[in-house]
Amino acid sequence: MQGVIEQFLKDEIGLSSDAVGASVIRHALKERMTALGTTDLHAYWDFLSGSRAERQELIDATVVPETWFFRDEGAFAAMAQHLHAQRRHHRPLRLLSFPCSTGEEPYSMAMAMFDAGFAAEAFVVEARDVSARNIAYAERAIYGRNSFRGRDLSFRDRYFEPVEAAYRPRNAVRERVRFVCANLFDLDLRSEAGRFDIVFCRNLLIYFDRPTQDRALDRLKGVLAPEGLLLVGPAESALPMAQGFVSARLPMAFAFTLRPEGAQPATPPGAVRPVRALPPGGTKAADRPAARSPAPAKSRPAPVAPAVQSPDRVAASLAAIERAANAGRLAEAEAAARSHLREFGSSAEAFYRLGLVLDAAGNAEEAVQNYRKAIYLAPDHREAMAHLALLLQRQGDAAGARVLTGRLGRMTNRSGT
Ligand SMILES: C[S@@+](CC[C@H](N)C(=O)[O-])C[C@H]1O[C@@H](n2cnc3c(N)ncnc32)[C@H](O)[C@@H]1O
């Protein structure tokens, strides 16, 4: 009889009993039958079949709500970077967190947007989950210690207020997020086609079997805007490429863009910018004027980029750094970036990638230095600026972050991109 109920859960929400474990479903059944005062599984099935409310109760008891604020924080930095790098936005950006569980993910998205310099009216986060219990929790928005598991909790001081011996996101954050109880498989591809600039669908596909994963990705593909970004969980990062997505090459983000028919990915692997020599000792300020040339020191000549390099070799070497970083092999990615700099000389793209890798590895100080070098060499390097702004914000340097987000905003207004 449990098999019939497992099949019901698979048909209803896609859950695979092999993936989630039969004991999880057994436990949920026990919880529901105890609540209803029955030990007869057949009687429970009869009741379940005729009661929509009980079907929801069983789903609520079965799902795995595990989540926390800024889980896999590279994803949030990637979201901000992607949006900054995009064309001018003619309408508020639409971000989707599906499944949002108890709300930590969509609230983190709103906080990351503020950290990246987006105004409140510039975006909205739609947050959905099949569990009514999770949605009620998310709307109440009172979070204890378990929701704060990262190393860097400085966002809590900026965006939360203490309440009932716990924490609640401030109004400004809560107002950006709209919660709805919904099933991923009920996404309406006609009314919502291409609607979202960002889709977070993390740590759900792991609970599905392969055909169900494909079905889910098909839905997500349908609601993603043409230049949108899909973010999945680390254990799910092999799946989107088989479904018409390409890696967005954002280390530790597990992020993908749609592959247009016959077109190249938005950011070609190892796109190389013009090389400029670094001043001795690197750069100090991210907001150094673009036109100023570094004053060469008398005692130590500035390193000079090798005169001619094969673009193919440079691109292949940059792509190798990205591959290692995307796969989470940070030590290998760092070594590859350093050896790239030795072999090909200073370049914004190499410093930027090294910054990303060090940032992901928790080496904030060196990450800052490398982002600054990238911006020095390429003053229009939006991605480096967006990442540096987020990192400075996390370190509590709100003024430094504001300088960068201000520059990003001005660049967007000037160029219309
Ligand atoms: C492990 S949580 C992931 C939460 C968040 N995305 C994260 O990565 O931290 C999985 C969530 O998926 C939800 N879920 C399971 N099946 C679903 C479906 N078919 N449609 C929408 N949500 C679903 C569950 O209710 C649960 O809250």
Side-chain angles (χ1 to χ4, degrees):
M1 190 77 234
Q2 183 172 325
V4 175
I5 292 175
E6 285 174 9
Q7 188 60 46
F8 156 77
L9 286 166
K10 179 152 194 285
D11 295 343
E12 197 78 2
I13 63 169
L15 192 78
S16 149
S17 58
D18 288 341
V20 78
S23 65
V24 168
I25 297 176
R26 205 163 35 245
H27 186 82
L29 275 172
K30 194 162 164 227
E31 179 189 316
R32 288 311 307 148
M33 289 167 69
T34 306
L36 293 167
T38 179
T39 51
D40 181 343
L41 201 50
H42 284 91
Y44 178 72
W45 170 245
D46 284 345
F47 180 62
L48 183 78
S49 307
S51 166
R52 196 183 167 80
E54 183 51 34
R55 291 201 288 275
Q56 183 66 55
E57 292 283 0
L58 180 63
I59 289 169
D60 285 354
T62 308
V63 293
V64 182
E66 190 72 359
T67 188
W68 58 91
F69 289 107
F70 286 100
R71 177 180 195 175
D72 301 314
E73 57 182 322
F76 300 90
M79 169 187 75
Q81 173 187 334
H82 180 79
L83 293 174
H84 270 307
Q86 271 195 326
R87 310 269 139 202
R88 182 198 284 277
H89 310 121
H90 296 289
R91 53 160 175 76
L93 294 160
R94 295 189 203 106
L95 322 180
L96 177 66
S97 164
F98 203 175
C100 64
S101 190
T102 40
E104 287 88 332
E105 179 177 279
Y107 288 132
S108 301
M109 292 163 76
M111 291 183 261
M113 291 294 282
F114 284 134
D115 276 350
F118 287 91
E121 58 279 8
F123 71 96
V124 63
V125 185
E126 297 195 16
R128 305 180 192 173
D129 197 282
V130 78
S131 162
R133 199 189 283 178
N134 288 352
I135 292 293
Y137 191 104
E139 284 178 326
R140 184 164 170 263
I142 294 178
Y143 296 99
R145 257 213 327 248
N146 207 26
S147 297
F148 299 93
R149 301 189 206 171
R151 274 172 306 178
D152 178 359
L153 297 182
S154 57
F155 67 89
R156 197 165 62 189
D157 299 331
R158 295 198 302 280
Y159 293 114
F160 286 75
E161 55 202 7
V163 52
E164 300 173 20
Y167 297 90
R168 185 163 212 229
R170 293 184 193 281
N171 277 348
V173 174
R174 292 210 316 280
E175 281 166 1
R176 299 324 311 145
V177 187
R178 316 224 163 113
F179 290 100
V180 175
C181 183
N183 189 335
L184 183 81
F185 296 102
D186 291 339
L187 262 176
D188 184 344
L189 296 186
R190 276 161 309 173
S191 65
E192 304 213 273
R195 187 153 183 268
F196 293 102
D197 303 288
I198 298 285
V199 172
F200 272 58
C201 180
R202 305 188 311 153
N203 303 301
L204 172 62
L205 301 173
I206 39 169
Y207 297 111
F208 298 160
D209 64 15
R210 196 55 210 262
T212 313
Q213 288 170 337
D214 289 349
R215 250 189 333 126
L217 281 163
D218 215 45
R219 303 251 148 195
L220 297 170
K221 194 157 68 181
V223 299
L224 194 63
E227 292 189 340
L229 194 71
L230 167 73
L231 297 107
V232 298
E236 299 159 337
S237 59
L239 303 172
M241 306 245 244
Q243 280 299 310
F245 290 90
V246 288
S247 168
R249 299 191 172 81
L250 300 165
M252 306 308 288
F254 316 106
F256 299 84
T257 52
L258 288 168
R259 182 172 42 225
E261 280 303 315
Q264 291 298 312
T267 313
V272 185
R273 292 165 197 258
V275 175
R276 214 178 145 192
L278 273 182
T283 61
K284 290 211 177 64
D287 51 346
R288 203 183 286 275
R292 197 187 307 156
S293 299
K298 290 200 177 86
S299 52
R300 277 168 63 207
V304 175
V308 184
Q309 294 294 344
S310 145
D312 286 353
R313 283 191 59 229
V314 175
S317 167
L318 289 171
I321 303 169
E322 286 171 5
R323 262 197 314 280
N326 280 339
R329 301 191 304 271
L330 294 183
E332 181 187 327
E334 182 182 338
R338 292 192 192 285
S339 112
H340 179 102
L341 285 162
R342 274 193 305 277
E343 185 175 352
F344 299 108
S346 298
S347 77
E349 293 307 324
F351 284 126
Y352 164 60
R353 282 163 180 75
L354 182 54
L356 285 174
V357 172
L358 292 164
D359 199 353
N363 185 347
E365 207 172 305
E366 269 203 75
V368 167
Q369 289 168 14
N370 281 280
Y371 288 146
R372 286 197 194 290
K373 288 177 186 175
I375 295 165
Y376 183 85
L377 293 175
D380 63 341
H381 203 301
R382 294 180 190 205
E383 299 89 343
M385 268 187 255
H387 273 273
L388 180 57
L390 285 169
L391 183 46
L392 292 180
Q393 187 75 46
R394 283 207 312 274
Q395 289 181 319
D397 180 1
R402 256 199 314 278
V403 169
L404 288 161
T405 51
R407 268 179 73 185
L408 275 166
R410 285 194 297 280
M411 280 166 63
T412 304
N413 291 339
R414 252 200 321 272
S415 64
T417 63

